Amino acid sequence: MQPYHPFFSQLALAHPIIQAPMAGVGTPRLAAAVSNAGALGSLGIGASTAAQARAMIEETRALTDRPINVNVFCHAPARRDAALESAWLAHLAPLFDEAGATLPAALDEIYRTFNDDEESFRMLLALRPDVVSFHFGLPSSERLAALRAAGIRTMATATNLQEALLIEAAGIDAIVAQGIEAGGHRGMFNPDLLDERLSMAVLVRLLVKRTGLPVIAAGGIMDGAGIKAALDLGAAGAQLGTAFILSPESMANDAYRANLQSERAATTALTAAVSGRPARGIVNRLIAHGASGAPAAYPVAYDAAKQLHAVAAKAGNHEFAAHWAGQGAPLARAMPAAQLVQTLVRELHADST
Ligand SMILES: Cc1cc2nc3c(=O)[nH]c(=O)nc-3n(C[C@H](O)[C@H](O)[C@H](O)COP(=O)(O)O)c2cc1C
């Protein structure tokens, strides 16, 4: 076995590879298949209730006795603003018309931040997944101490040096360095601040040089050559999301899979117009419609997008879906997750690819 960073060897992982948590796309079967193949499988429970998350963790545990990662969202609660929300609905009204859908009268905060969710916190303390990771910010120091006292290792996403230094100061065990290439939501702590939009390569170098923590590279990594490049930059490991979407174990529906395997996968965009926070997905009618002014707060804006998509999808129209994918999307391969992990490892160790 390679002398990987202690973060990976202490978890007894055979490979320095993490399947990214993907709320709404990942499944217990996907996480278990990845963990059984010697990498770290993840469950994204950011949009789930405590009861749903518990069921997902228990289902995963029934399929693997290998370590797993459970990921939560630590965003600031939505600042509700009735005027902004009705302006946002008015902006989306033509799309609801186009889809033959009724414009909602009001929007909801469709899921809570982990930082206000005592039940999910207690559930994690009781079930003790090997790793818990944080996106969009950090939990309180009290909660962090309790998770660590329960023997749970922790990771958190950083998109810049400032966030990485906060993660290090909080006593987290590893930093996920999420570059601008990444699919899905940017884990930035405060979306109102200027986004430097650092590439994975620059961010990894910065964090390797300026923090003492293991750095996990994320964003646009699709194959063993990409993982090798990240390790050469000093990363301790790599976290891949988009690469796993086409696995049969993912929840992606046929339309998502077809889109990801089409020419359209080469055109992704980062937009806050779907959920209220910047996220990267394959450009479709909804993303092209964009935003006029600020969207409603996250995840309130997401409620509108999900309602629009639900009605349109029933009529076979998937132009309003959130097909999150990173810039490496055209390189995604459709293969079972265990086979993908084996392929990534083979490519990582090949002399040239
Ligand atoms: C469909 C999808 C859903 C995602 N959901 C989450 C999530 O729930 N939590 C999280 O921390 N990151 C999430 N991410 C971001 C990943 O953690 C990671 O940063 C990203 O996938 C890396 O870029 P790549 O997709 O190019 O590999 C998601 C990414 C995708 C593509």
Side-chain angles (χ1 to χ4, degrees):
M1 206 196 286
Q2 301 289 314
Y4 292 126
H5 191 282
F7 180 79
F8 286 91
S9 47
Q10 283 162 13
L11 283 165
L13 297 174
H15 315 299
I17 300 171
I18 301 175
Q19 165 251 317
M22 293 186 282
V25 171
T27 61
R29 278 179 61 225
L30 176 62
V34 170
S35 289
N36 283 333
L40 184 62
S42 303
L43 292 173
I45 64 163
S48 305
T49 62
Q52 290 165 336
R54 170 184 283 275
M56 284 165 70
I57 296 170
E58 285 172 347
E59 192 183 336
T60 312
R61 284 254 169 88
L63 298 170
T64 184
D65 54 7
R66 307 290 306 151
I68 57 166
N69 167 40
V70 177
N71 174 264
V72 296
F73 293 160
C74 295
H75 54 283
R79 268 194 313 266
R80 301 303 300 266
D81 178 335
L84 184 67
E85 290 171 21
S86 48
W88 187 244
L89 280 170
H91 168 70
L92 294 177
L95 300 188
F96 277 85
D97 270 355
E98 211 174 295
T102 313
L103 194 66
L107 295 172
D108 274 340
E109 186 173 358
I110 46 178
Y111 43 80
R112 277 193 296 168
T113 170
F114 176 72
N115 291 344
D116 284 350
D117 182 354
E118 185 65 21
E119 218 184 325
S120 291
F121 170 60
R122 297 262 150 236
M123 182 275 297
L124 288 180
L125 275 183
L127 296 192
R128 296 184 188 206
D130 311 76
V131 182
V132 169
S133 65
F134 310 107
H135 205 52
F136 301 142
L138 294 171
S140 67
S141 52
E142 292 75 20
R143 282 191 170 188
L144 203 48
L147 292 169
R148 291 168 61 86
I152 296 168
R153 285 189 174 74
T154 54
M155 307 192 291
T157 307
T159 60
N160 59 32
L161 178 60
Q162 294 86 334
E163 289 165 354
L165 293 175
L166 291 173
I167 289 169
E168 183 166 43
I172 302 273
D173 297 306
I175 309 175
V176 177
Q178 189 194 37
I180 194 71
E181 305 92 330
H185 282 87
R186 258 170 99 54
M188 53 210 302
F189 290 14
N190 181 353
D192 296 335
L193 298 181
L194 178 81
D195 185 0
E196 295 154 274
R197 302 168 77 103
L198 300 176
S199 69
M200 179 275 284
V202 170
L203 184 60
V204 166
R205 279 316 285 160
L206 262 176
L207 304 195
V208 166
K209 289 289 200 186
R210 297 287 293 276
T211 76
L213 291 183
V215 175
I216 316 290
I221 303 174
M222 302 300 292
D223 54 22
I227 298 169
K228 184 170 186 309
L231 298 183
D232 284 347
L233 289 169
Q239 176 163 303
L240 287 67
T242 304
F244 283 96
I245 296 175
L246 294 177
S247 303
E249 294 92 341
S250 97
M251 226 190 285
N253 62 18
D254 289 347
Y256 197 171
R257 289 171 196 271
N259 214 10
L260 192 49
Q261 293 179 93
S262 77
E263 294 292 314
R264 297 177 72 179
T267 312
T268 64
L270 194 65
T271 179
V274 175
S275 73
R277 260 183 175 266
R280 181 177 297 282
I282 300 173
V283 172
N284 58 12
R285 179 81 184 92
L286 176 61
I287 292 182
H289 186 66
S292 64
Y298 173 88
V300 178
Y302 217 176
D303 184 21
K306 283 175 187 276
Q307 292 195 44
L308 173 61
H309 167 60
V311 175
K314 276 199 193 126
N317 178 357
H318 293 271
E319 281 305 307
F320 307 107
H323 286 166
W324 304 131
Q327 290 179 338
L331 300 173
R333 294 173 283 193
M335 55 174 88
Q339 193 187 330
L340 179 57
V341 172
Q342 285 152 13
T343 304
L344 293 170
V345 171
R346 198 174 55 243
E347 292 167 346
L348 170 61
H349 298 301
D351 286 339
S352 63
T353 49

